[in-house]
Amino acid sequence: MTGAKSFSRQDVFFTSGDTHCAAWLYLPTGVVAPPVVVLGHGLGATREMRLDAFAERFAQAGIACLAFTYRHFGDSGGEPRQLLSIKRQLADWDAAIDYVRARRDVDGTRIAVWGSSFGGGHAITVASRHPELRAAVAQCPFTDGLASAVALGPVATLKLAPVLARDLTAMLLGRAPVTIPLAGSPGSLALMHAPDALPGYQALIPAGMTFVNEAAARVIPTIAAYRPGRSAKKVTIPILFCVSNTDSVTPPAQTLRYAKPAPRGEIKTYDAGHFDFYLGDAFEALVTDQIEFLTRHLTRPLTPVGSSSNRVESK
C-alpha cells in the first residue's frame, strides 16, 4: 500500500460487568488524537480471527482501532466459558465505547462501530442506541433470527431442541453448560451448518491458535428472537451495510429490506460469500470501501442529518 501510515498495537483490557474484555488498541503513528473505530466479531469468534486484518488497514489510513473479544470467549474474562449472551455482548460494546471515549490518545468525539456477522447485527443495535457516534459499519450482518432459522431449515431447528433442554436443565442445577458447535458440516448438529460454515470458520483461525468451536446451547432461543435489523430505521448516524449476495448464514434479501429504511444508510453488495469477506480479493474490496466510508465520516466535519440519501451499490 503506497503511502500507508505505520501504527502501533497494544494489548489492553477494559472493564465490562464484573470482569473484563481483552482487546487490541491500534494507534496510527504521527496522528494526534485520531478518530477511533470499535470492532467486534461474529458468533463465538474472537478478535484473532481476522479483526486484526481490518484494524491494521484502518490504522494505516490514520484511524485508531479497538478490536475486542466478548466476555466468556478467548482471553477475555467471564464464567462460565463459552456463554453467548446477547445482553452481555451488547453491554461489552457499551463498555468498549466508554473505554475509548475516556482515553486521551484518541478523539472520543469521533467514534465509529464496526461489526461483522453476529457482530454486524450488534453494530446496528448499538448505533441505534448511540446517536452521538459518528458512523457504523455492519458487515454481512445478522439481522433476523427468525429468517436465519428458516434458512437453517425446520428439521435442523428441531434437532437443536434436545441439547437446548439439557443445557437449560444444567443452568437450573448450577452445572457446567451443555454446549453445541458453532459451526459444523452440513446436516450436523450446530448453530451454523451451511456448506461454507465450518471451512469458513477454520480459514479464519491463525496458525497456532486453539479455537473453541462451541457455545452454551441456552443461546438458541435468544438467537431466534434477536432481530437487530428492526433497529436499522432508528439509526440516525451514517451506517454502511456490506451485504453478501450469496450469504448462506444471514439471508441477504431480509438484510436489504431492513437496511433500505435507514435514514443515512449506504448499502454495498458483493458476490462473495459470508465467510469470503475476510480474505483475498473480497477482503480487499470490502476494506477499501470501508476505509472510504470511515474516512469520509470520521475525518471530516459533521454532515447535517438528512443531507445524504440511502444508496445501494453492487460490486
Side-chain angles (χ1 to χ4, degrees):
M1 290 181 60
T2 303
K5 298 180 176 67
S6 61
F7 60 89
S8 63
R9 190 180 88 176
Q10 305 172 20
D11 294 321
V12 298
F13 300 88
F14 59 87
T15 300
S16 185
D18 58 1
T19 184
H20 69 274
C21 290
W24 290 322
L25 178 68
Y26 294 77
L27 294 172
T29 303
V31 181
V32 178
V36 58
V37 179
V38 177
L39 296 92
H41 219 317
L43 198 70
T46 63
R47 68 190 185 283
E48 293 86 356
M49 297 167 70
R50 296 289 291 174
L51 287 196
D52 51 345
F54 286 91
E56 287 172 6
R57 294 289 289 273
F58 297 159
Q60 288 171 344
I63 301 171
C65 298
L66 182 77
F68 73 96
T69 297
Y70 300 109
R71 284 178 287 171
H72 305 280
F73 291 90
D75 56 350
S76 291
E79 294 292 339
R81 304 307 296 168
Q82 305 306 118
L83 177 65
L84 205 167
S85 164
I86 293 171
K87 181 178 179 180
R88 294 188 186 196
Q89 290 192 351
L90 290 172
D92 292 343
W93 280 94
D94 289 342
I97 291 169
D98 288 343
Y99 174 75
V100 295
R101 186 178 287 134
R103 291 190 66 97
R104 295 186 176 182
D105 47 4
V106 300
D107 186 345
T109 68
R110 294 186 292 158
I111 302 173
V113 291
W114 180 104
S116 189
S117 193
F118 206 64
H122 289 336
I124 298 170
T125 302
V126 171
S128 73
R129 296 177 177 180
H130 288 272
E132 78 280 6
L133 297 176
R134 293 287 289 266
V137 176
Q139 175 174 292
C140 54
F142 174 96
T143 55
D144 192 302
L146 182 59
S148 293
V150 170
L152 189 64
V155 175
T157 302
L158 287 173
K159 283 183 179 179
L160 300 176
V163 67
L164 169 61
R166 292 198 301 273
D167 190 39
L168 292 176
T169 300
M171 181 174 63
L172 291 173
L173 297 176
R175 296 175 180 170
V178 176
T179 61
I180 183 172
L182 294 160
S185 56
S188 66
L189 186 68
L191 292 178
M192 296 181 292
H193 63 211
D196 58 340
L198 184 57
Y201 254 55
Q202 292 171 335
L204 305 183
I205 302 170
M209 175 188 167
T210 300
F211 174 62
V212 182
N213 181 26
E214 59 185 36
R218 66 195 66 172
V219 75
I220 293 169
T222 61
I223 290 178
Y226 188 38
R227 307 180 81 179
R230 289 184 165 185
S231 296
K233 62 181 180 292
K234 303 175 185 176
V235 177
T236 58
I237 63 173
I239 180 168
L240 174 64
F241 299 91
C242 297
V243 182
S244 163
N245 290 326
T246 59
D247 203 313
S248 61
V249 177
T250 57
Q254 186 65 29
T255 297
L256 292 171
R257 279 194 289 270
Y258 283 131
K260 288 176 181 177
R264 302 180 68 188
E266 297 179 28
I267 302 168
K268 289 185 179 288
T269 59
Y270 307 82
D271 290 332
H274 185 93
F275 295 97
D276 295 330
F277 275 18
Y278 305 92
L279 301 162
D281 292 341
F283 164 76
E284 291 296 333
L286 281 150
V287 77
T288 299
D289 289 341
Q290 292 168 8
I291 287 171
E292 187 280 328
F293 173 82
L294 291 169
T295 300
R296 181 160 29 101
H297 293 293
L298 288 177
T299 65
R300 298 177 186 176
L302 280 171
T303 303
V305 175
S307 61
S308 62
S309 60
N310 193 298
R311 299 183 300 175
V312 181
E313 299 181 24
S314 297
K315 301 294 278 191

